[in-house]
Amino acid sequence: MKQITCIEDLRDIHRRRVPKMFFDYVDHGSYAEETLRANRDDLKKIKFRQRILVDIAKRDLSTTIIGERAALPLILAPVGSTGMQHGDGEIHACRAAHAAGIPYTLSTMSICSIEDVAANVDQPFWFQLYVMRDRGFVKALIERAIAAKCSALVLTVDLQVIGQRHQDIKNGMSVPPEIFRLKNIIDIASKPGWVKGILGAKSRNFGNIAGHLPGSKDLGSVSAWVASQFDPSLNWKDIDWIRSIWPGKLIIKGILDVEDAALAVKAGAEALVVSNHGGRQLDGAPSSIEVLPQIVDQFGHRIEVMFDGGIRSGQDVMRALALGAKSCMIGRAYIYGLGAFGGPGVAKAIDIIKNELSTTMALCGVNSIAEIDHHVLAK
């Protein structure tokens, strides 16, 4: 992987090695993809203030994330169906995150179950929760996360209904995926390495659902259940119920408005994530970086603010930190690495971002994460 220089290189290899329906699932957004593009475009507009002749010989990229030491201000975000990008993908990604000294977040809609991941890693990981209509199942899911010693619960609140993703419809990326369309059969047949990895994996179903619901042994039955379970009645009162079950740290992900940030603070969460679901939900919403400063200004002294949306480089991490985020989540960036090379690809993605952040800090004349603020930005 010596010739891999950036996240875009990993993306190119991911696109070649993984069937189109699964690559597009990660790579694309909802509707016209305006918000997806805005996440990247608005980050690129933020420019740095170059400083010279500053002693930057002892740079330290470590920080704390919800009170725990981390080697980088970086978190691997929850991504559904990660195990369909590479066999046992959640386990490989979690191991890479832990080796790098940063948190990993397992999605409710993962292929490997909570128990599969916990049995194959040595450290606690975070668990991301979607609240379904079946509150008994949700309660059991939280209890399973407790039993697995998950160290934080990430409650995603911007998926009460699902934004249409045109590319998924065109590719037959449904639940279950329409693998037996002729074009998909031809595409998959041209990816023997991917096929071998998936066939040898622990699971090809949604691990947190299959085996824990009656009749959920096959993808078809899981599909019917999932389709009926996203709950448009979910509201802030449900946070109290979750709090009554979950004893640990709570992070609310999907905040894009100052009024909602105020409610997250009131709910007693340890952290919130400024996020528009990677441009996969409300198309036409502002970019995450556009709304970050106002949320930090009003509530950064009361709650830990994390950032998610468009991070593809260490420079992007620096931009978000300069505008007040305490740490950043990456989703697509590490999935590109996973699809390209498995676990080593995830490690490579993390390493790319780490090295870019370190270099950017040096050229801006700062030695620690704590020093990064608006002063590193050009006026």
Side-chain angles (χ1 to χ4, degrees):
M1 284 189 277
K2 289 183 179 179
Q3 294 181 333
I4 304 297
T5 61
C6 60
I7 298 298
E8 186 63 25
D9 287 349
L10 292 173
R11 178 180 178 273
D12 289 342
I13 297 170
H14 178 199
R15 186 174 55 215
R16 295 198 300 268
R17 294 188 175 181
V18 172
K20 185 177 187 296
M21 65 191 309
F22 296 112
F23 172 80
D24 284 353
Y25 168 74
V26 168
D27 197 55
H28 284 271
S30 64
Y31 299 101
E33 301 189 335
E34 293 174 7
T35 298
L36 173 70
R37 290 190 295 273
N39 277 348
R40 293 292 303 126
D41 292 344
D42 289 354
L43 277 165
K44 292 176 184 177
K45 292 174 185 175
I46 300 170
K47 304 303 179 185
F48 297 111
R49 182 183 176 204
Q50 179 175 296
R51 301 301 307 278
I52 60 170
L53 297 179
V54 177
D55 182 354
I56 39 84
K58 297 181 179 179
R59 296 187 303 289
D60 181 5
L61 276 64
S62 67
T63 187
T64 59
I65 300 176
I66 56 171
E68 299 177 7
R69 294 295 294 174
L72 289 166
L74 200 66
I75 303 148
L76 298 195
V79 178
S81 299
T82 293
M84 296 306 290
Q85 304 294 332
H86 184 92
D88 296 329
E90 290 89 359
I91 293 170
H92 291 296
C94 189
R95 286 173 174 168
H98 288 169
I102 63 174
Y104 170 77
T105 317
L106 181 70
S107 171
T108 289
M109 304 305 294
S110 59
I111 301 301
C112 293
S113 69
I114 299 171
E115 293 80 9
D116 284 340
V117 177
N120 286 277
V121 300
D122 299 325
Q123 301 171 45
F125 51 91
W126 295 2
F127 181 68
Q128 174 268 336
L129 179 69
Y130 287 129
V131 179
M132 309 293 198
R133 291 179 189 270
D134 184 343
R135 294 297 198 265
F137 174 77
V138 174
K139 182 175 184 288
L141 204 55
I142 297 171
E143 290 170 344
R144 289 165 61 193
I146 295 169
K149 297 182 171 56
C150 292
S151 53
L153 186 70
V154 180
L155 176 63
T156 297
V157 293
D158 57 359
L159 204 80
Q160 290 164 280
V161 296
I162 300 176
Q164 180 169 296
R165 298 152 197 173
H166 298 338
Q167 210 62 31
D168 287 350
I169 293 173
K170 293 174 181 176
N171 290 332
M173 184 59 190
S174 55
V175 184
E178 297 175 22
I179 288 175
F180 295 107
R181 285 188 182 184
L182 179 58
K183 68 175 185 178
N184 289 337
I185 292 173
I186 294 169
D187 185 27
I188 289 169
S190 71
K191 311 290 191 303
W194 177 86
V195 172
K196 181 179 179 181
I198 295 297
L199 290 178
K202 298 179 184 301
S203 174
R204 290 174 293 280
N205 203 333
F206 290 112
N208 292 322
I209 299 172
H212 294 275
L213 293 173
S216 65
K217 297 295 184 182
D218 63 89
L219 270 171
S221 58
V222 170
S223 171
W225 185 82
V226 170
S228 70
Q229 284 298 312
F230 285 98
D231 189 358
S233 73
L234 180 67
N235 62 77
W236 287 101
K237 293 179 182 178
D238 292 301
I239 306 294
D240 294 334
W241 176 73
I242 291 167
R243 273 294 199 189
S244 73
I245 306 166
W246 174 254
K249 296 173 182 177
L250 177 67
I251 301 165
I252 299 179
K253 181 177 182 288
I255 302 296
L256 207 65
D257 185 271
V258 169
E259 290 184 22
D260 287 335
L263 292 169
V265 172
K266 186 178 179 181
E270 276 72 25
L272 64 82
V273 186
V274 175
S275 172
N276 53 32
H277 216 98
R280 294 167 62 80
Q281 282 294 93
L282 176 60
D283 199 30
S287 68
S288 296
I289 201 68
E290 181 181 343
V291 302
L292 174 66
Q294 55 189 302
I295 291 175
V296 169
D297 288 347
Q298 294 202 35
F299 301 106
H301 63 292
R302 299 178 60 187
I303 191 169
E304 189 162 327
V305 178
M306 302 172 178
F307 176 83
D308 168 70
I311 297 287
R312 297 290 186 279
S313 67
Q315 291 90 338
D316 290 338
V317 173
M318 183 91 157
R319 289 168 171 130
L321 298 181
L323 293 180
K326 296 300 181 185
S327 57
C328 295
M329 284 188 166
I330 56 170
R332 290 179 175 93
Y334 85 84
I335 294 294
Y336 294 148
L338 179 71
F341 297 108
V346 178
K348 182 66 174 179
I350 297 169
D351 197 49
I352 287 169
I353 289 175
K354 175 183 178 180
N355 291 335
E356 290 171 343
L357 176 59
S358 178
T359 300
T360 306
M361 288 170 59
L363 296 175
C364 290
V366 296
N367 282 290
S368 69
I369 299 302
E371 291 179 53
I372 302 173
D373 61 19
H374 67 277
H375 292 102
V376 305
L377 301 178
K379 298 191 185 301

